[in-house]
Amino acid sequence: MGEMKPIVFRGDSREALRSFPESARRRAGHQLEMVQLGRDPDDWKPMKAIGAGVREIRVRDERGIFRVLYVTKFGDTIYVLHCFQKKTQKTSSADVEIAARRYSELLRERMQ
């Protein structure tokens, strides 16, 4: 097995992930582990509206639809920007804004 990349949770994303129902939390954790090993998650899509390189892990269970937004393009670290339960077909503007703000903050920190 290869070297596992570290994960850095931005804002309250770790607490948000921990608040997922157990089965969704396990699935999301497994998908993040795949990313740590350099593989793609089973179900993901690019989130270009948030920023270049941002991806969305899609997790579904009997309690609902859950999302983990992350970026891996900065060296060997995985940055989890935002975790949330999706309530509608379209990702809410509030969730997009949270992830975009954390992405911008990350870019600023990396430029310093």
Side-chain angles (χ1 to χ4, degrees), residues 37-79:
L37 294 169
R39 298 176 27 212
D40 283 335
D42 293 329
D43 188 3
W44 68 275
K45 74 174 193 176
M47 294 294 285
K48 293 182 180 113
I50 294 169
V54 177
R55 289 179 163 194
E56 172 184 78
I57 294 174
R58 304 189 287 195
V59 174
R60 194 179 283 268
D61 84 345
E62 59 281 347
R63 305 266 301 275
I65 300 167
F66 301 87
R67 299 293 186 252
V68 176
L69 301 176
Y70 72 97
V71 63
T72 61
K73 72 177 195 169
F74 303 114
D76 285 341
T77 303
I78 299 159
Y79 293 94

Side-chain angles (χ1 to χ4, degrees), residues 52-109:
V54 177
R55 289 179 163 194
E56 172 184 78
I57 294 174
R58 304 189 287 195
V59 174
R60 194 179 283 268
D61 84 345
E62 59 281 347
R63 305 266 301 275
I65 300 167
F66 301 87
R67 299 293 186 252
V68 176
L69 301 176
Y70 72 97
V71 63
T72 61
K73 72 177 195 169
F74 303 114
D76 285 341
T77 303
I78 299 159
Y79 293 94
V80 174
L81 301 172
H82 187 40
C83 301
F84 59 97
Q85 181 170 6
K86 199 167 174 184
K87 306 276 193 209
T88 61
Q89 194 67 30
K90 190 172 186 288
T91 302
S92 79
S93 58
D95 287 315
V96 170
E97 286 168 21
I98 289 168
R101 186 181 70 245
R102 291 177 182 166
Y103 181 79
S104 295
E105 290 167 357
L106 179 60
L107 288 177
R108 272 197 305 278
E109 286 172 21

Side-chain angles (χ1 to χ4, degrees), residues 1-5 30 33-34 36-39:
M1 208 141 87
E3 186 77 17
M4 287 187 68
K5 295 179 179 182
H30 176 70
E33 190 174 308
M34 288 175 58
Q36 285 183 286
L37 294 169
R39 298 176 27 212

